[in-house]
Amino acid sequence: MTTLYTQKATIAAPAAHIPDANQLALCLGESSADDQTFTTANYQDADGNLYAVCSTTAKPIFAEKASQPLQAPNHAPGVDLEAATRAQALLQINGGIATPDVIAVILSARTESAQDHIAVLGLTLREIVRL
Amino acid sequence: MTVINNADAVYLGVTAVDRVYVGSERLWPAFSPVELFANSEQGAWYDPSDLSTLFQDAAGTVPVTADGDPVGRMLDKSGNGNHASQTVSGSRPVYRTDGVLHWLELDGVDDILLSDFITLTGTRCGASIAALWDNDMLNVKADGTGFADFTFRLSGNNFSVYQSAPQRTDQASTITARTSGGVSVVTAIASESDAKTWQNGVEQGSRTTGAFLDFDSQDQPQRISLFSRVAGGFSSGSFYGAVVSLGYVESQKDQVEAYLANLAGVTL
């Protein structure tokens, strides 16, 4: 058997766009819980801008669906297509570092590591001290 | 010995026996982690080499069949029904195999599997894990964001038992089971009076003073969390299997570790 999930996608949603990015994830994903894909903005770029990051395996159809007009999937008939479409307009696939005005995606073969993707995005995990 | 290993029953003369030993080594039947749950002890047993326990979706309707498939549900083989799942498709680990070994690959970004909530009682808990890891790997905790609601925490480099109200941490030892250290089999056992850890069969540290495990005084209900603290701090690496049981005692450790070492290709 060969997996259908031949790609890896790492996605950086700027903090201001997390709600819209979650609606896009719900639209492009496979679960009714995918509106919780982006939660905590715990990564930052060199300028201190904050991002929520998701890394996942993906089917090749992911990139195709991401570039086409969005439709509500069977698992989420109530998805906010307006919000998802706003997020879709911000998608930048394999365009380099993350910036606050785009939703940056690194898409590669599944064998690449998420940590390498995050390095390409120019992001680092915020150091949070819990007392 | 091959014959006895595969036997369904063994007789001494006309008398059926339920165990066969040479010295202290048990030859038959082969050890199974299910023995840690023989008296209905709470806990879980996860074995990603058993594909019948892995599913791509959280509901458990799409089986994992190939290297690279996401894992949205991993069944608990202990009989307790503490299956670990992930509803968000982007936060699922990936099943990997080289044809011999089988493991879950963790991306260190957002992968986490969680059991349902369980009300736990008692003053003992033990866990053995075979994994390559760099952050939290297995926690038993309530579903909050603070540290006070941890009970039993195996993180990247240490094992801690937490007592709530007031918050108190008792760190039994430092464990060097980090990514750079290779795949390890780590065991941690805590009771109301002591706590101890081992890595690849070698004791790492122990504590016999201070407040130790007492589920009855913890926030309830709790849940088993794999690869994360629930509220962040995700581990990258690989997971070959785990057994966590509220009845786990030190005399069972060697057999559990041998079982997990076999799953992970580790020589103890």
Side-chain angles (χ1 to χ4, degrees):
Chain A
M1 299 288 283
T2 304
T3 187
L4 300 175
Y5 296 83
T6 57
Q7 298 184 325
K8 176 165 288 179
T10 302
I11 306 161
H17 300 296
I18 286 175
D20 287 356
N22 274 325
Q23 291 304 306
L24 181 60
L26 188 56
C27 216
L28 299 179
E30 300 179 339
S31 162
S32 59
D34 284 349
D35 58 351
Q36 299 163 55
T37 295
F38 301 99
T39 53
T40 308
N42 54 350
Y43 283 83
Q44 62 185 358
D45 63 20
D47 297 324
N49 300 301
L50 300 180
Y51 303 82
V53 175
C54 163
S55 187
T56 182
T57 54
K59 298 174 181 174
I61 200 172
F62 169 81
E64 187 181 327
K65 285 171 63 178
S67 63
Q68 294 177 346
L70 298 173
Q71 296 181 329
N74 290 337
H75 64 258
V79 63
D80 183 344
L81 282 175
E82 192 174 323
T85 302
R86 281 197 303 268
Q88 184 186 33
L90 299 179
L91 282 179
Q92 176 183 279
I93 298 179
N94 290 338
I97 65 171
T99 59
D101 55 345
V102 301
I103 296 174
V105 182
I106 302 298
L107 189 63
S108 74
R110 69 177 172 91
T111 49
E112 288 193 14
S113 83
Q115 303 306 322
D116 289 345
H117 282 189
I118 289 169
V120 172
L121 289 166
L123 300 179
T124 55
L125 191 61
R126 295 176 72 206
E127 292 290 338
I128 299 173
V129 176
R130 292 182 173 88
L131 299 175
Chain B
M1 291 307 169
T2 301
V3 173
I4 200 170
N5 285 347
N6 295 330
D8 293 320
V10 174
Y11 284 79
L12 181 62
V14 296
T15 305
V17 297
D18 61 1
R19 295 281 193 279
V20 177
Y21 289 85
V22 172
S24 61
E25 180 186 2
R26 192 173 87 189
L27 297 182
W28 183 87
F31 171 78
S32 167
V34 78
E35 294 180 22
L36 275 71
F37 309 96
N39 297 310
S40 302
E41 292 90 349
Q42 260 293 2
W45 165 24
Y46 302 114
D47 171 12
S49 75
D50 181 352
L51 253 65
S52 71
T53 67
L54 301 181
F55 296 87
Q56 296 186 37
D57 59 328
T61 60
V62 182
V64 167
T65 59
D67 177 57
D69 282 350
V71 178
R73 187 173 184 84
M74 179 166 55
L75 298 184
D76 165 23
K77 297 175 71 171
S78 77
N80 283 303
N82 292 322
H83 313 308
S85 63
Q86 174 52 259
T87 57
V88 177
S89 54
S91 299
R92 294 170 180 160
V94 173
Y95 167 73
R96 299 301 314 274
T97 181
D98 60 6
V100 178
L101 302 178
H102 309 261
W103 66 95
L104 303 188
E105 184 176 84
L106 327 168
D107 66 15
V109 177
D110 52 6
D111 291 349
I112 177 174
L113 294 178
L114 292 165
S115 75
D116 289 336
F117 287 104
I118 322 160
T119 297
L120 300 171
T121 58
T123 55
R124 169 169 293 281
C125 185
S128 290
I129 303 168
L132 182 69
W133 47 328
D134 62 358
N135 206 307
D136 282 38
M137 178 52 72
L138 185 147
N139 296 302
V140 179
K141 75 187 293 285
D143 195 29
T145 57
F147 280 78
D149 63 355
F150 277 105
T151 300
F152 184 97
R153 181 184 180 208
L154 265 167
S155 66
N157 64 351
N158 62 59
F159 165 61
S160 305
V161 182
Y162 287 74
Q163 291 278 3
S164 60
Q167 177 182 345
R168 176 167 181 156
T169 304
D170 288 295
Q171 184 170 309
S173 70
T174 295
I175 302 167
T176 55
R178 303 181 71 94
T179 300
S180 60
V183 177
S184 293
V185 177
V186 168
T187 296
I189 298 175
S191 71
E192 75 280 18
S193 59
D194 59 17
K196 194 182 284 188
T197 60
W198 298 261
Q199 181 176 11
N200 292 337
V202 178
E203 186 176 328
Q204 301 295 302
S206 64
R207 288 280 304 275
T208 55
T209 59
F212 287 102
L213 194 64
D214 180 2
F215 280 110
D216 299 328
S217 71
Q218 306 295 323
D219 299 332
Q220 298 282 1
Q222 306 216 356
R223 67 199 318 191
I224 299 168
S225 164
L226 295 171
F227 325 136
S228 171
R229 301 172 195 157
V230 176
F234 299 91
S235 187
S236 62
S238 47
F239 172 81
Y240 294 82
V243 178
V244 52
S245 169
L246 269 60
Y248 196 160
V249 294
E250 191 171 338
S251 62
Q252 298 168 308
K253 179 184 73 72
D254 289 352
Q255 289 180 308
V256 176
E257 289 181 335
Y259 161 79
L260 289 171
N262 184 54
L263 291 184
V266 170
T267 301
L268 296 177

